[in-house]
Amino acid sequence: MIGIVVVSHSRALAEAAVELACEMVVERPPIAVAAGAGDGFGTDAAAVADAITAVDSPDGVLVLLDLGSAVLSAEMAREFVPPDVAERVRLSPAPLVEGLVAAVVTAATGAPLDAVLEEAGRGLAAKLEHLGEAADPSAAGTTAPPAAPEVVAELPVDTPHGLHARPAARLVGLVRAADAAAVVTNLRTGRGPVDARSLSGLVTLAVRQGDRLRFEASGPGAESLTEAVRTLAADSWGDRPSEQAPPAAPGSAGPVGVPTPPAAGSGVDVALGPAVVRGGAIDLSGYRPGEPAEERRRSDAAVARALAELAALRRSAAGGPGPVGAVLEAHEALLVDPGLTDAVSAGIAAGAPAPTAWEDRLSALGGELEAMDDPYLRARAEDIRSVRQRVLAALAGTGAPEDAVPAEGPPVVLVVRELDAATAATLDPHRVAGVVALAGGDTGHGVLVARSRGIPVYHDAGPAAAAVAPGTVVGFDARDRRFVVDPDESTRRSLRELSAARAAEAERVLATAREPGATADGHPVPVLANVTTPADAGRAVAFGAQGCGLLRTEVLFGHLDDAPSVEAQAAAFAGIAEAFAGRPVTIRTWDVGGDKPLPFLPAPHEANPFLGERGLRLMRRAPEVLRDQLTAICLVARDHPVHVMFPMVSTAEEVAWALERLDEASAAIGGRPAEMRVGVMIEVPAAALAVRRVAQGLDFVSIGTNDLAQYTMAAERGNTAVSALADARQPAVLDLVARVCAEVPEGTHVAVCGNLASDPAAAVVLAGLGVEELSVVPTQVALVKARLRDVTLAGAQGLARRALACGSADEVRALLADAAGADRAGRRQRSPVRGRGPDPVPPALHGTDADGPGIRLEADGEVPVDSDP
């Protein structure tokens, strides 16, 4: 295998480029870095010669370099090594980062030096192609297809980001190891064919999720190669996101068999400890701007350092595969996004210092997200601010944002302006009792990551926390929203006792999470989960979910620029259905509108999008998009217990139109699967009042209490001035739920998938009103089941009647809190429940959900409003 040497003026840049390139391969070729001069920037011919010697082999050495004196140093270095070594050295004119990625991937397959040199030289081809610049076709690896290919296959691409560098590198490895030649064509765009041994060529195909590739192979190993590539494609090209099971409870065995230590406040939403205050603006007062060329160099070095920090975090246990790693990857992707970096470069070229250029562009991007109507998307501005802080810290020469918590002393409470995912991923539950965030909501990535690691978070603390001095003891109860500064000994003792009580409650709840949902007298109330991704599905099953009552398809495919194909949707739905292992999965069709548009299905601008073309209404303008989705659902329903649900229904005529589209889709594939059930969401008061007509002939209805509340109360749930009115505990909303249960056609099942079902206390009321099934955020499944087991059906019905008689949502909330307290007191007098379900639960007292809160441990309290239903 050849050796590779990276010559750069910046060691940080060189090391980050090597780290990026090696992410593409399993076995890295020998690589040496010769970068920097002394303690600063520059290149050293002697250091380059040493690096060449270190990786020299009979196969040769390829040297990649950045600019200026790097070229001179590399040329001079060849004079410093023995002549026989110098003969094996090739200097590549390829761009450093792109060329290095291509070279590492190609070298890892055992390709000869000349082939690696050629492939590195094609490094810019993909970028030139994307930007529409003229390029030598040979630079993209374009080649004629075999005159008579022996094997031809069409391969689907279902990876979220298409055939990007990492999955493309896996394909290159297979082809280069085979005794065969192959070319690839993108059937959607017609681009190609390109040599399948060329990473750069494959990237120029611009393959997106949902595309199909034509793979043509010839040679003695064509058959076996094609079969191996088919297997790779079936495994999402080796790029399937890892699922992260809920972390183990304190003291239990974790995923690698190591006992998880009990963290302060772990799993109980309670924390107490001295404050470590961190955050605020990065101090750039000492920054001295230079000429544009110098500012560009500083900017590049800051990006390289930030990428290296993020890569190190991803290699850590906390930031590895799963949701945390995905967030960190998103931060890395943002840092190298041409749309961002080109804008920053333009600002620097116009005379702005590097910090100003980064601050201006990232602040503008964050502002765009914060202006969005969807609360979940608004929360994603947190990621932009996290990247901004990291880059500015690198430019200022200060420590990384996550370097804050002392290594010794009692567990601390970290006080920050906003908790980002990168910082949350580094927090040690041994050292951090909890986190207080001045700003940010319950759906921020940082909050979800911290909770997934057993660290409680008190969010949106405001001025009370802003005034905390470092070292001051602070405590909080995040569930009941209590925050205290410098508490007296009595308060500290009560917080410790509360923590212990909630831990005991959690153990009881999780011990029976796999048992079916039912009341104390055996009345069945199945508890399912609302999910978005396969990872959500795995987490839901781990918490005891009896199926999926709501799969949000618009979130699953919301990142795509083009509508996903039938095949891509079917593959995604099948993956989620397989994660539920025979349990029912209800797929909601596109729930799109002015408040949450899809790139491939733009909605018209509306003064009030909540009252405009949403859900099924918008589908009437794009029936072909709905038909494709229904076809995919029907295909999957042949092999799995998959059902379909139409959102935002107001009239029986709309239901009839939707059923016609379903009949068209199913007829095209041979008919509707016999076991597939069909239903609609009840989110509009008109549908609730006319449910006897709207639900005629349907198998089920599912009540979306979030929208039903905002439409009933004429209060937009995202408008802070009136959002308190949009409370599903309002007696008027409960009246509508009761009416749906009483008047639904005979044989039509009634479920609730709105956020009210995720409140364990309210779940009892819903069961008492006649709701037959609940679908909740995954981390609430065990709690809702446990609360239902505390009451009989008659008791739930009595509580429901009392709730309907209340005069306000506050009265209902107080009623539920009193009832929950009385049930807990009664339970303590009864014999404790013993035993477990059929499988041990890998418990997490603070799980994560794409748009839901961490798990709560008692029936009282309120679950924050979800983005839907």
Short mmCIF file of all heavy atoms in Angstrom, two decimals, residues 161 307 310 327-338 340-341:
data_model
loop_
_atom_site.label_atom_id
_atom_site.label_comp_id
_atom_site.label_asym_id
_atom_site.label_seq_id
_atom_site.Cartn_x
_atom_site.Cartn_y
_atom_site.Cartn_z
N HIS A 161 -28.69 11.48 2.76
CA HIS A 161 -27.95 12.50 2.01
C HIS A 161 -27.46 11.97 0.66
O HIS A 161 -26.50 12.49 0.10
CB HIS A 161 -26.77 13.00 2.84
CG HIS A 161 -27.19 13.51 4.18
ND1 HIS A 161 -27.94 14.65 4.34
CD2 HIS A 161 -27.00 13.02 5.43
CE1 HIS A 161 -28.18 14.85 5.63
NE2 HIS A 161 -27.62 13.87 6.30
N LEU A 307 -13.43 21.67 13.34
CA LEU A 307 -13.69 20.33 12.81
C LEU A 307 -12.97 19.26 13.62
O LEU A 307 -13.52 18.19 13.89
CB LEU A 307 -13.25 20.25 11.34
CG LEU A 307 -14.13 20.99 10.33
CD1 LEU A 307 -13.46 21.02 8.97
CD2 LEU A 307 -15.51 20.37 10.23
N LEU A 310 -14.88 18.74 16.89
CA LEU A 310 -16.12 17.98 16.69
C LEU A 310 -15.82 16.53 16.38
O LEU A 310 -16.53 15.63 16.85
CB LEU A 310 -16.93 18.62 15.56
CG LEU A 310 -17.54 19.98 15.87
CD1 LEU A 310 -18.06 20.64 14.60
CD2 LEU A 310 -18.66 19.86 16.89
N VAL A 327 -26.07 14.94 15.45
CA VAL A 327 -26.04 16.39 15.66
C VAL A 327 -24.65 16.93 15.40
O VAL A 327 -24.46 17.96 14.74
CB VAL A 327 -26.51 16.73 17.09
CG1 VAL A 327 -26.27 18.21 17.38
CG2 VAL A 327 -27.98 16.40 17.26
N LEU A 328 -23.63 16.24 15.92
CA LEU A 328 -22.25 16.69 15.72
C LEU A 328 -21.88 16.64 14.24
O LEU A 328 -21.18 17.52 13.74
CB LEU A 328 -21.30 15.83 16.55
CG LEU A 328 -21.51 15.91 18.07
CD1 LEU A 328 -20.57 14.96 18.78
CD2 LEU A 328 -21.30 17.33 18.58
N GLU A 329 -22.34 15.61 13.54
CA GLU A 329 -22.10 15.55 12.10
C GLU A 329 -22.75 16.73 11.39
O GLU A 329 -22.20 17.27 10.43
CB GLU A 329 -22.62 14.24 11.52
CG GLU A 329 -21.71 13.04 11.78
CD GLU A 329 -22.15 11.82 10.99
OE1 GLU A 329 -23.24 11.86 10.41
OE2 GLU A 329 -21.40 10.84 10.97
N ALA A 330 -23.94 17.11 11.85
CA ALA A 330 -24.62 18.25 11.25
C ALA A 330 -23.81 19.53 11.47
O ALA A 330 -23.72 20.38 10.57
CB ALA A 330 -26.02 18.42 11.85
N HIS A 331 -23.19 19.67 12.65
CA HIS A 331 -22.34 20.84 12.90
C HIS A 331 -21.14 20.83 11.95
O HIS A 331 -20.75 21.87 11.41
CB HIS A 331 -21.85 20.83 14.34
CG HIS A 331 -22.93 21.17 15.33
ND1 HIS A 331 -22.67 21.49 16.65
CD2 HIS A 331 -24.28 21.21 15.21
CE1 HIS A 331 -23.81 21.73 17.27
NE2 HIS A 331 -24.79 21.56 16.42
N GLU A 332 -20.54 19.65 11.75
CA GLU A 332 -19.41 19.54 10.83
C GLU A 332 -19.83 19.90 9.41
O GLU A 332 -19.11 20.61 8.69
CB GLU A 332 -18.84 18.13 10.87
CG GLU A 332 -18.14 17.77 12.18
CD GLU A 332 -17.69 16.32 12.22
OE1 GLU A 332 -18.30 15.50 11.51
OE2 GLU A 332 -16.75 16.01 12.95
N ALA A 333 -20.99 19.39 9.01
CA ALA A 333 -21.47 19.66 7.66
C ALA A 333 -21.70 21.15 7.46
O ALA A 333 -21.43 21.69 6.37
CB ALA A 333 -22.75 18.88 7.39
N LEU A 334 -22.20 21.82 8.48
CA LEU A 334 -22.44 23.26 8.38
C LEU A 334 -21.12 24.00 8.17
O LEU A 334 -21.03 24.94 7.39
CB LEU A 334 -23.14 23.76 9.64
CG LEU A 334 -23.47 25.26 9.68
CD1 LEU A 334 -24.44 25.62 8.57
CD2 LEU A 334 -24.05 25.63 11.04
N LEU A 335 -20.08 23.57 8.87
CA LEU A 335 -18.78 24.25 8.78
C LEU A 335 -18.14 24.15 7.39
O LEU A 335 -17.30 24.98 7.05
CB LEU A 335 -17.82 23.68 9.83
CG LEU A 335 -18.01 24.20 11.25
CD1 LEU A 335 -17.23 23.36 12.24
CD2 LEU A 335 -17.59 25.66 11.35
N VAL A 336 -18.50 23.11 6.64
CA VAL A 336 -17.92 22.97 5.30
C VAL A 336 -18.96 23.19 4.21
O VAL A 336 -18.70 22.91 3.04
CB VAL A 336 -17.27 21.57 5.13
CG1 VAL A 336 -16.12 21.41 6.09
CG2 VAL A 336 -18.29 20.46 5.34
N ASP A 337 -20.12 23.71 4.57
CA ASP A 337 -21.17 23.99 3.60
C ASP A 337 -20.74 25.15 2.70
O ASP A 337 -20.51 26.26 3.19
CB ASP A 337 -22.46 24.34 4.34
CG ASP A 337 -23.62 24.63 3.39
OD1 ASP A 337 -23.40 24.65 2.16
OD2 ASP A 337 -24.73 24.86 3.88
N PRO A 338 -20.61 24.93 1.39
CA PRO A 338 -20.18 26.02 0.51
C PRO A 338 -21.07 27.25 0.60
O PRO A 338 -20.58 28.37 0.46
CB PRO A 338 -20.23 25.39 -0.89
CG PRO A 338 -20.12 23.91 -0.65
CD PRO A 338 -20.82 23.67 0.65
N LEU A 340 -22.31 28.53 3.14
CA LEU A 340 -21.86 29.33 4.28
C LEU A 340 -20.43 29.83 4.07
O LEU A 340 -20.14 31.02 4.22
CB LEU A 340 -21.94 28.50 5.56
CG LEU A 340 -21.33 29.11 6.83
CD1 LEU A 340 -22.06 30.39 7.20
CD2 LEU A 340 -21.38 28.12 7.98
N THR A 341 -19.53 28.91 3.74
CA THR A 341 -18.11 29.28 3.65
C THR A 341 -17.86 30.27 2.52
O THR A 341 -17.01 31.16 2.65
CB THR A 341 -17.24 28.03 3.45
OG1 THR A 341 -17.67 27.32 2.30
CG2 THR A 341 -17.35 27.12 4.68
#
